[in-house]
Amino acid sequence: MSDLHTVNKSPFEKNSLESCLRLSKSGSAILLYEDGVYGALKGTAVENMIASVVGDRKIYVLGPDYKARGLDETRIIDGVEVVDYAGFVDLVEANDKVQAWV
Amino acid sequence: MSDLHTVNKSPFEKNSLESCLRLSKSGSAILLYEDGVYGALKGTAVENMIASVVGDRKIYVLGPDYKARGLDETRIIDGVEVVDYAGFVDLVEANDKVQAWV
Amino acid sequence: MKFSIQVNEGPYQHQASDSAYQFTKAALEKGHECFRIFFYHDGVLNGTRLTTPPQDDRNIVKNWTELAEKYDLDLVVCVAAAQRRGIVDDGEAERNGKDATNIAPKFRISGLGQLVEAAIQSDRLVVFGD
Amino acid sequence: MKFSIQVNEGPYQHQASDSAYQFTKAALEKGHECFRIFFYHDGVLNGTRLTTPPQDDRNIVKNWTELAEKYDLDLVVCVAAAQRRGIVDDGEAERNGKDATNIAPKFRISGLGQLVEAAIQSDRLVVFGD
Amino acid sequence: MSDTKNFMFLNRRAPYGTIYAWESLEVVLIAAAFEQNVSLMFVDDGVYELTKGQDTTGIGMKNFSPTYRTLGDYEVRHMYVDKASLEARGLSADDLVQVEWEDWETEESVDNIVEVVDSDRVAELLDESDVVFSF
Amino acid sequence: MSDTKNFMFLNRRAPYGTIYAWESLEVVLIAAAFEQNVSLMFVDDGVYELTKGQDTTGIGMKNFSPTYRTLGDYEVRHMYVDKASLEARGLSADDLVQVEWEDWETEESVDNIVEVVDSDRVAELLDESDVVFSF
């Protein structure tokens, strides 16, 4: 089985991403959206948290949320893939279930 | 001048306490209430964050919130003082203003 | 595929309701079925017709109502959560002696069993919250 | 001493409104003055008379109303925040073409200037939020 | 598709500061009535939901913690607690309520269905569920 | 007591995920109209409020970021950004909007009132204010 995990909180404010990474299985998909998108940026204090699991987990970031926050797509951590809402829907369909780390 | 800082978030979930400690002046008073009271417990991963400023800052914990959460007053970090709502009011009166780290 | 959506926050304070709406819309446009949208916790506050958001901003309640009209969606507000927060339809007004109602068009108030049923009947449950 | 209180969250979802109530009550019982209680963000949702909380739990809206009656408190709901979230009095209903009101007794709807004035006039502003 | 699913309730919030823990519990009680296989997982601040001796008289809020102890009667079979979350918070299993379980038909019983598990097991249990409820 | 106070708005929330940043800004605009000395402090995720190039068309929400650039016209004189918060988030002053300020009477002007300050200065500025608004 493979699950989609969703994280909508800033990793600088809340512990949701950290817990998601600790408690999700190898091979899972993780979608960062809403304030969760800040975790996808290069050069931050939490970059390594994401970068170290790219490959083991598949990391996605919701483009509309990322753009809303004024961040540049060239600054996304390598290996993180940008999706839109339709892509979010596809991820929900493609995985067995969704675990929300609200 | 001396300010009262209030922290109502669990230090395990959010960064409010950490920011409050970093950005409050020596001699300030800090009141932990609501889910903030969890920071007052001995033996936790954040104990040192509080213990290291006791003396430099005056730390208070709201008793009614602490008791509601099933914690034992004997397990409060040394130097942290328990107050009730009337004591909360007194702290607001005794300090020059209140800074809420919501 | 058959989806159900759970919305845990009210309109405007958190993005949860916006995200849920955008997701639901995208799913429907892709031809998926939405078995039920269940509004829980402060999410029940999406179901009031009394909001008047600024003209230059989106109208979240209206967005939900119009999406429900277009796709015949089942928008269910949890009764227990609604009672705590003051979302009332005719039946609730009568039962609890309230002198007004505020439920928005296409929303209905029902029990938590509707959420459990949605989770059983649907292929996926997607939760949007704080 | 003269206090003003700001409440940023609605009833039940967060403890903020409970804490604000307990603090205000304690301040009044100690003989302090409360110049104004200002409800902002989801805090405006404390001002609905349509709630019916479970019998064995506290009634937050009623608590505020009764405290206001006892001490003649000024409970002010921010109009802009209220419009976004559907808190309506007679004036707002007429202005925005709403067919119902839901404001609770002793609450009144007014502008953000009331918060700024409270901060200017009071010795202390105490904020309760998420 | 069978009408019985493995429901997992993922609890990550402290009680009282927000209502999520309490309203989540209300769903648990209903789900059990629908005869689903219901398990609860306590992670992060969710472990605080199970502390013994909660006393809310001073804050004027309803103390809902006794409900956890009755979950065995609602046919909840498993309550898992994340070990790392518990330890980070300076707590141990002794600080948590015990929940008895008994099968009325088979008279099989368990003294305490609250079980502390490690991170790998948490991930596995979440993964094995059919539906994860998050509040 | 003078009717002019030093108001400090402490902004610690990212925009769009919650409404606090936006509704806080509405108070700033009103406070300026009351002729108070208004300063803004951006700490933690609050620094994200000032990022350039916000584009909300994809999420259907109102883009309120242009309002920050007009604050100089509302007689806001100081906008402080916590250096540590900015750096932890991989951002620099170049990523933030610039806010011009001009005194219509004296014609005194400042190209950009957004100022990055260190932690000690943040603590001092908060301490020196008469009222701290937190949202």
PDB file of all heavy atoms in Angstrom, chain D residues 110-128:
ATOM      1  N   SER D 110     -19.885  47.256  15.806  1.00  0.00           N
ATOM      2  CA  SER D 110     -19.317  48.572  15.515  1.00  0.00           C
ATOM      3  C   SER D 110     -17.972  48.418  14.811  1.00  0.00           C
ATOM      4  O   SER D 110     -17.545  47.310  14.511  1.00  0.00           O
ATOM      5  CB  SER D 110     -19.188  49.379  16.799  1.00  0.00           C
ATOM      6  OG  SER D 110     -18.823  50.716  16.498  1.00  0.00           O
ATOM      7  N   GLY D 111     -17.304  49.525  14.557  1.00  0.00           N
ATOM      8  CA  GLY D 111     -16.090  49.499  13.742  1.00  0.00           C
ATOM      9  C   GLY D 111     -14.821  49.214  14.522  1.00  0.00           C
ATOM     10  O   GLY D 111     -14.816  49.165  15.758  1.00  0.00           O
ATOM     11  N   LEU D 112     -13.740  49.020  13.769  1.00  0.00           N
ATOM     12  CA  LEU D 112     -12.420  48.758  14.356  1.00  0.00           C
ATOM     13  C   LEU D 112     -11.908  49.936  15.177  1.00  0.00           C
ATOM     14  O   LEU D 112     -11.045  49.768  16.037  1.00  0.00           O
ATOM     15  CB  LEU D 112     -11.415  48.471  13.237  1.00  0.00           C
ATOM     16  CG  LEU D 112     -11.326  47.040  12.751  1.00  0.00           C
ATOM     17  CD1 LEU D 112     -10.380  46.961  11.565  1.00  0.00           C
ATOM     18  CD2 LEU D 112     -10.836  46.138  13.876  1.00  0.00           C
ATOM     19  N   GLY D 113     -12.467  51.121  14.916  1.00  0.00           N
ATOM     20  CA  GLY D 113     -12.087  52.289  15.696  1.00  0.00           C
ATOM     21  C   GLY D 113     -12.324  52.065  17.184  1.00  0.00           C
ATOM     22  O   GLY D 113     -11.618  52.612  18.034  1.00  0.00           O
ATOM     23  N   GLN D 114     -13.312  51.228  17.485  1.00  0.00           N
ATOM     24  CA  GLN D 114     -13.625  50.914  18.880  1.00  0.00           C
ATOM     25  C   GLN D 114     -12.491  50.157  19.560  1.00  0.00           C
ATOM     26  O   GLN D 114     -12.294  50.265  20.769  1.00  0.00           O
ATOM     27  CB  GLN D 114     -14.903  50.075  18.952  1.00  0.00           C
ATOM     28  CG  GLN D 114     -16.122  50.753  18.362  1.00  0.00           C
ATOM     29  CD  GLN D 114     -16.820  51.642  19.357  1.00  0.00           C
ATOM     30  OE1 GLN D 114     -17.092  51.215  20.470  1.00  0.00           O
ATOM     31  NE2 GLN D 114     -17.074  52.884  18.989  1.00  0.00           N
ATOM     32  N   LEU D 115     -11.765  49.372  18.797  1.00  0.00           N
ATOM     33  CA  LEU D 115     -10.614  48.661  19.347  1.00  0.00           C
ATOM     34  C   LEU D 115      -9.462  49.641  19.577  1.00  0.00           C
ATOM     35  O   LEU D 115      -8.816  49.631  20.629  1.00  0.00           O
ATOM     36  CB  LEU D 115     -10.168  47.530  18.402  1.00  0.00           C
ATOM     37  CG  LEU D 115      -8.836  46.843  18.737  1.00  0.00           C
ATOM     38  CD1 LEU D 115      -8.881  46.180  20.118  1.00  0.00           C
ATOM     39  CD2 LEU D 115      -8.468  45.812  17.669  1.00  0.00           C
ATOM     40  N   VAL D 116      -9.228  50.485  18.581  1.00  0.00           N
ATOM     41  CA  VAL D 116      -8.144  51.461  18.700  1.00  0.00           C
ATOM     42  C   VAL D 116      -8.428  52.408  19.870  1.00  0.00           C
ATOM     43  O   VAL D 116      -7.552  52.687  20.694  1.00  0.00           O
ATOM     44  CB  VAL D 116      -7.979  52.238  17.379  1.00  0.00           C
ATOM     45  CG1 VAL D 116      -6.944  53.345  17.530  1.00  0.00           C
ATOM     46  CG2 VAL D 116      -7.574  51.278  16.253  1.00  0.00           C
ATOM     47  N   GLU D 117      -9.678  52.857  19.972  1.00  0.00           N
ATOM     48  CA  GLU D 117     -10.050  53.738  21.077  1.00  0.00           C
ATOM     49  C   GLU D 117      -9.846  53.036  22.422  1.00  0.00           C
ATOM     50  O   GLU D 117      -9.331  53.629  23.375  1.00  0.00           O
ATOM     51  CB  GLU D 117     -11.511  54.166  20.925  1.00  0.00           C
ATOM     52  CG  GLU D 117     -11.909  55.246  21.933  1.00  0.00           C
ATOM     53  CD  GLU D 117     -13.411  55.307  22.172  1.00  0.00           C
ATOM     54  OE1 GLU D 117     -14.107  54.281  21.974  1.00  0.00           O
ATOM     55  OE2 GLU D 117     -13.878  56.354  22.589  1.00  0.00           O
ATOM     56  N   ALA D 118     -10.229  51.769  22.480  1.00  0.00           N
ATOM     57  CA  ALA D 118     -10.047  51.001  23.723  1.00  0.00           C
ATOM     58  C   ALA D 118      -8.573  50.935  24.106  1.00  0.00           C
ATOM     59  O   ALA D 118      -8.210  51.072  25.285  1.00  0.00           O
ATOM     60  CB  ALA D 118     -10.621  49.590  23.557  1.00  0.00           C
ATOM     61  N   ALA D 119      -7.714  50.731  23.111  1.00  0.00           N
ATOM     62  CA  ALA D 119      -6.278  50.647  23.375  1.00  0.00           C
ATOM     63  C   ALA D 119      -5.737  51.993  23.853  1.00  0.00           C
ATOM     64  O   ALA D 119      -4.830  52.044  24.696  1.00  0.00           O
ATOM     65  CB  ALA D 119      -5.533  50.188  22.125  1.00  0.00           C
ATOM     66  N   ILE D 120      -6.297  53.075  23.331  1.00  0.00           N
ATOM     67  CA  ILE D 120      -5.850  54.420  23.747  1.00  0.00           C
ATOM     68  C   ILE D 120      -6.347  54.741  25.164  1.00  0.00           C
ATOM     69  O   ILE D 120      -5.594  55.230  26.004  1.00  0.00           O
ATOM     70  CB  ILE D 120      -6.371  55.496  22.751  1.00  0.00           C
ATOM     71  CG1 ILE D 120      -5.748  55.287  21.372  1.00  0.00           C
ATOM     72  CG2 ILE D 120      -6.056  56.906  23.260  1.00  0.00           C
ATOM     73  CD1 ILE D 120      -6.382  56.130  20.265  1.00  0.00           C
ATOM     74  N   GLN D 121      -7.601  54.423  25.420  1.00  0.00           N
ATOM     75  CA  GLN D 121      -8.235  54.819  26.685  1.00  0.00           C
ATOM     76  C   GLN D 121      -7.885  53.929  27.866  1.00  0.00           C
ATOM     77  O   GLN D 121      -8.047  54.338  29.020  1.00  0.00           O
ATOM     78  CB  GLN D 121      -9.763  54.830  26.521  1.00  0.00           C
ATOM     79  CG  GLN D 121     -10.291  55.830  25.500  1.00  0.00           C
ATOM     80  CD  GLN D 121      -9.977  57.274  25.905  1.00  0.00           C
ATOM     81  OE1 GLN D 121      -9.928  57.598  27.080  1.00  0.00           O
ATOM     82  NE2 GLN D 121      -9.725  58.128  24.925  1.00  0.00           N
ATOM     83  N   SER D 122      -7.464  52.692  27.607  1.00  0.00           N
ATOM     84  CA  SER D 122      -7.275  51.742  28.705  1.00  0.00           C
ATOM     85  C   SER D 122      -5.826  51.705  29.168  1.00  0.00           C
ATOM     86  O   SER D 122      -4.911  52.014  28.406  1.00  0.00           O
ATOM     87  CB  SER D 122      -7.703  50.339  28.277  1.00  0.00           C
ATOM     88  OG  SER D 122      -9.018  50.368  27.773  1.00  0.00           O
ATOM     89  N   ASP D 123      -5.637  51.305  30.411  1.00  0.00           N
ATOM     90  CA  ASP D 123      -4.279  51.137  30.933  1.00  0.00           C
ATOM     91  C   ASP D 123      -3.629  49.873  30.372  1.00  0.00           C
ATOM     92  O   ASP D 123      -2.413  49.805  30.238  1.00  0.00           O
ATOM     93  CB  ASP D 123      -4.318  51.043  32.457  1.00  0.00           C
ATOM     94  CG  ASP D 123      -4.928  52.288  33.081  1.00  0.00           C
ATOM     95  OD1 ASP D 123      -4.426  53.386  32.793  1.00  0.00           O
ATOM     96  OD2 ASP D 123      -5.924  52.160  33.820  1.00  0.00           O
ATOM     97  N   ARG D 124      -4.455  48.876  30.088  1.00  0.00           N
ATOM     98  CA  ARG D 124      -3.917  47.617  29.566  1.00  0.00           C
ATOM     99  C   ARG D 124      -4.853  47.035  28.503  1.00  0.00           C
ATOM    100  O   ARG D 124      -6.072  47.027  28.697  1.00  0.00           O
ATOM    101  CB  ARG D 124      -3.798  46.555  30.673  1.00  0.00           C
ATOM    102  CG  ARG D 124      -2.922  46.918  31.854  1.00  0.00           C
ATOM    103  CD  ARG D 124      -1.438  46.817  31.545  1.00  0.00           C
ATOM    104  NE  ARG D 124      -0.667  47.087  32.749  1.00  0.00           N
ATOM    105  CZ  ARG D 124      -0.357  48.309  33.196  1.00  0.00           C
ATOM    106  NH1 ARG D 124      -0.742  49.387  32.522  1.00  0.00           N
ATOM    107  NH2 ARG D 124       0.333  48.464  34.325  1.00  0.00           N
ATOM    108  N   LEU D 125      -4.249  46.506  27.436  1.00  0.00           N
ATOM    109  CA  LEU D 125      -5.006  45.719  26.457  1.00  0.00           C
ATOM    110  C   LEU D 125      -4.536  44.275  26.591  1.00  0.00           C
ATOM    111  O   LEU D 125      -3.328  44.002  26.534  1.00  0.00           O
ATOM    112  CB  LEU D 125      -4.739  46.226  25.030  1.00  0.00           C
ATOM    113  CG  LEU D 125      -5.376  45.401  23.907  1.00  0.00           C
ATOM    114  CD1 LEU D 125      -6.897  45.574  23.892  1.00  0.00           C
ATOM    115  CD2 LEU D 125      -4.804  45.788  22.542  1.00  0.00           C
ATOM    116  N   VAL D 126      -5.470  43.356  26.811  1.00  0.00           N
ATOM    117  CA  VAL D 126      -5.099  41.946  26.962  1.00  0.00           C
ATOM    118  C   VAL D 126      -5.740  41.155  25.828  1.00  0.00           C
ATOM    119  O   VAL D 126      -6.964  41.203  25.645  1.00  0.00           O
ATOM    120  CB  VAL D 126      -5.542  41.372  28.327  1.00  0.00           C
ATOM    121  CG1 VAL D 126      -4.944  39.996  28.554  1.00  0.00           C
ATOM    122  CG2 VAL D 126      -5.137  42.315  29.465  1.00  0.00           C
ATOM    123  N   VAL D 127      -4.894  40.454  25.046  1.00  0.00           N
ATOM    124  CA  VAL D 127      -5.366  39.768  23.841  1.00  0.00           C
ATOM    125  C   VAL D 127      -5.463  38.261  24.085  1.00  0.00           C
ATOM    126  O   VAL D 127      -4.503  37.641  24.574  1.00  0.00           O
ATOM    127  CB  VAL D 127      -4.398  40.021  22.664  1.00  0.00           C
ATOM    128  CG1 VAL D 127      -4.889  39.334  21.407  1.00  0.00           C
ATOM    129  CG2 VAL D 127      -4.222  41.521  22.419  1.00  0.00           C
ATOM    130  N   PHE D 128      -6.602  37.691  23.738  1.00  0.00           N
ATOM    131  CA  PHE D 128      -6.788  36.244  23.818  1.00  0.00           C
ATOM    132  C   PHE D 128      -7.059  35.699  22.425  1.00  0.00           C
ATOM    133  O   PHE D 128      -7.993  36.143  21.761  1.00  0.00           O
ATOM    134  CB  PHE D 128      -7.958  35.909  24.750  1.00  0.00           C
ATOM    135  CG  PHE D 128      -7.694  36.269  26.187  1.00  0.00           C
ATOM    136  CD1 PHE D 128      -8.009  37.531  26.673  1.00  0.00           C
ATOM    137  CD2 PHE D 128      -7.088  35.361  27.037  1.00  0.00           C
ATOM    138  CE1 PHE D 128      -7.742  37.876  27.995  1.00  0.00           C
ATOM    139  CE2 PHE D 128      -6.820  35.693  28.363  1.00  0.00           C
ATOM    140  CZ  PHE D 128      -7.135  36.951  28.847  1.00  0.00           C
TER     141      PHE D 128
END
